[in-house]
Amino acid sequence: MKITDIQVFELTIPFSRGVNKKPPSNFLKADALDFCLVKIETDQGIIGWGDAFAYHCRRPVAEAINHMIKPHLIGKNPLNVQQINFELQKTLHLFGRYGITIFAISAIDIALWDILAKFSNLPLYNILGSSGGKKMEAYASLWRYEDVDAVKDRCKHAKNLGYKHIKLHETHTSEVEAARNTLGNDISIMVDTNCPWTKDKARQMLNDWEDYNLYWVEEPINPPEDFESLSNLRSESLIPIAAGENACTSFEFKKMFDAEAVDYAQPSVTKVGGITEFKKISSLADNYGVQVMPHSPYFGPGFLATLHLAQSMPNPGLLERFFIDFEAYLYPEKTFNPKDGFFEISDQIGLGLDPDIDVIKDYRIK
């Protein structure tokens, strides 16, 4: 089999946060989210779909795929998935081991695994070593509202939908306190702070938050790769630490684990180097005794890939559902809505679903 063509589709799809008031900060300031999809075609008619992280970086990622990666892959056998991943990382190392280059490789890798599973006439989770059927518990990952009333409203809504775990993206105590008072003690609360503080400021904030019985605090220190400071903070705090959405490749996660910096590791399949690299990170985490909690605020092939990876993990942890509503979805909306608190997965071949071509046509950036 040979790769005959690679197409990149840049999309932007409007969404609703569920509340009218917009946050005053610039945190993901948008009314639409970016998508960068990859379609790989083969001479046997098998097509694979992939997904690169593209929030606010859609065009650079697309250009990297078209001009840095595509020329290397036309004519290659797509079934050599892990070899292709290795060669791309080796060939393109000069352009960065973080960020745009690795995001682009991630999309290609996901699409190649989709092709491999379709060629084998099996669901991807079978190819990854699972018979399926594993329960995958969801958590609602809220927007950053920076507004107490909005936090209360969204927490109530998520609780009413059956979520037992809810993640905030807040950095002020008032919103964290409001969430706990609204949800009571039976719902787990996590807080993703998105790398805002020095180590000293982070220590102060986590001390202030110890009364709220948090499941974890995520990425409290800037820069995110300061694993030494993160480790020190973890040893000084009663609140578990989570991180990893900004780490690329298994080598960064090994540094993180060697530093004993986290209780929960959060690799993102559209960022770390795709399924191939995610598998390495998952195995590494098992060896270090660190629980993986996949980062997956996505609505494309990356989300489906995360579900299949979770099926293949001994303990899949909790899976993220970004708590926003889109004007249109690439897959049936039920794909992203947990049933009784758990995600379900298709037993069809490959990733299980191909994206809706009409949605791609309607929301594609020309």
Side-chain angles (χ1 to χ4, degrees), residues 44-86:
Q44 292 190 19
I46 299 176
I47 292 172
W49 288 92
D51 193 9
F53 182 80
Y55 297 166
H56 297 290
C57 61
R58 183 195 69 243
R59 180 53 52 84
V61 176
E63 292 297 302
I65 296 169
N66 277 321
H67 300 290
M68 293 166 56
I69 293 179
K70 182 176 177 178
H72 291 286
L73 295 189
I74 301 301
K76 292 286 184 68
N77 186 336
L79 303 183
N80 293 326
V81 183
Q82 296 179 88
Q83 184 66 32
I84 288 174
N85 189 296
F86 172 80

Side-chain angles (χ1 to χ4, degrees), residues 127-139:
I127 299 295
L128 296 174
S130 171
S131 62
K134 186 173 294 181
K135 300 190 77 172
M136 300 179 291
E137 193 163 12
Y139 71 85

Side-chain angles (χ1 to χ4, degrees), residues 205-236:
M205 295 303 298
L206 266 62
N207 286 343
D208 290 345
W209 290 356
E210 284 182 356
D211 292 338
Y212 302 118
N213 189 27
L214 300 180
Y215 201 107
W216 72 63
V217 169
E218 189 170 328
E219 294 195 318
I221 288 177
N222 183 271
E225 68 270 24
D226 185 358
F227 300 137
E228 181 179 356
S229 292
L230 202 60
S231 177
N232 291 338
L233 178 66
R234 177 175 176 246
S235 68
E236 297 164 356

Side-chain angles (χ1 to χ4, degrees), residues 328-342:
Y329 289 84
L330 288 165
Y331 308 112
E333 189 174 350
K334 66 180 183 179
T335 306
F336 310 101
N337 294 333
K339 183 179 180 181
D340 300 323
F342 292 85

Side-chain angles (χ1 to χ4, degrees), residues 240-252:
I241 299 295
E245 71 173 85
N246 286 301
C248 295
T249 80
S250 59
F251 291 95
E252 287 301 308

Side-chain angles (χ1 to χ4, degrees), residues 20-273:
N20 292 325
K21 187 173 182 179
K22 294 183 179 181
S25 78
N26 288 323
F27 172 75
L28 275 183
K29 196 171 184 178
D31 295 309
L33 282 188
D34 293 319
F35 292 74
C36 184
L37 304 183
V38 166
K39 178 184 180 184
I40 299 182
E41 299 182 29
T42 68
D43 61 356
Q44 292 190 19
I46 299 176
I47 292 172
W49 288 92
D51 193 9
F53 182 80
Y55 297 166
H56 297 290
C57 61
R58 183 195 69 243
R59 180 53 52 84
V61 176
E63 292 297 302
I65 296 169
N66 277 321
H67 300 290
M68 293 166 56
I69 293 179
K70 182 176 177 178
H72 291 286
L73 295 189
I74 301 301
K76 292 286 184 68
N77 186 336
L79 303 183
N80 293 326
V81 183
Q82 296 179 88
Q83 184 66 32
I84 288 174
N85 189 296
F86 172 80
E87 290 176 357
L88 286 176
Q89 289 197 41
K90 181 179 179 181
T91 301
L92 302 176
H93 76 274
L94 176 64
F95 309 111
R97 300 281 294 159
Y98 265 91
I100 303 300
T101 305
I102 299 296
F103 300 170
I105 291 173
S106 298
I108 295 294
D109 187 80
I110 293 168
L112 293 177
W113 278 98
D114 189 26
I115 289 172
L116 176 60
K118 287 173 177 174
F119 175 79
S120 304
N121 202 36
L122 293 169
L124 178 58
Y125 59 73
N126 283 166
I127 299 295
L128 296 174
S130 171
S131 62
K134 186 173 294 181
K135 300 190 77 172
M136 300 179 291
E137 193 163 12
Y139 71 85
S141 183
L142 308 190
W143 198 261
R144 178 178 293 175
Y145 307 105
E146 299 182 349
D147 181 88
V148 167
D149 291 335
V151 168
K152 290 179 180 178
D153 178 85
R154 293 293 85 193
C155 283
K156 287 178 183 176
H157 185 49
K159 182 178 180 180
N160 289 338
L161 289 176
Y163 286 96
K164 303 299 183 186
H165 312 275
I166 295 174
K167 185 165 81 175
L168 311 178
H169 283 84
E170 308 293 339
T171 55
H172 297 110
T173 300
S174 54
E175 283 82 6
V176 176
E177 182 179 24
R180 178 52 73 202
N181 290 340
T182 300
L183 295 170
N185 294 319
D186 295 333
I187 304 293
S188 300
I189 296 176
M190 303 84 95
V191 184
D192 184 355
T193 61
N194 296 106
C195 313
W197 300 314
T198 64
K199 183 180 72 172
D200 290 340
K201 178 64 174 178
R203 184 189 301 111
Q204 174 190 329
M205 295 303 298
L206 266 62
N207 286 343
D208 290 345
W209 290 356
E210 284 182 356
D211 292 338
Y212 302 118
N213 189 27
L214 300 180
Y215 201 107
W216 72 63
V217 169
E218 189 170 328
E219 294 195 318
I221 288 177
N222 183 271
E225 68 270 24
D226 185 358
F227 300 137
E228 181 179 356
S229 292
L230 202 60
S231 177
N232 291 338
L233 178 66
R234 177 175 176 246
S235 68
E236 297 164 356
S237 174
L238 297 178
I239 303 175
I241 299 295
E245 71 173 85
N246 286 301
C248 295
T249 80
S250 59
F251 291 95
E252 287 301 308
F253 280 87
K254 185 176 187 304
K255 294 176 187 176
M256 184 190 303
F257 299 158
D258 283 338
E260 298 183 348
V262 294
D263 298 279
Y264 303 113
Q266 298 174 296
S268 176
V269 72
T270 67
K271 285 183 168 184
V272 296

Side-chain angles (χ1 to χ4, degrees), residues 309-324:
L309 283 161
Q311 280 294 303
S312 72
M313 295 162 58
N315 181 0
L318 303 174
L319 300 187
E320 183 173 16
R321 201 293 194 187
F322 210 6
F323 206 58
I324 55 179

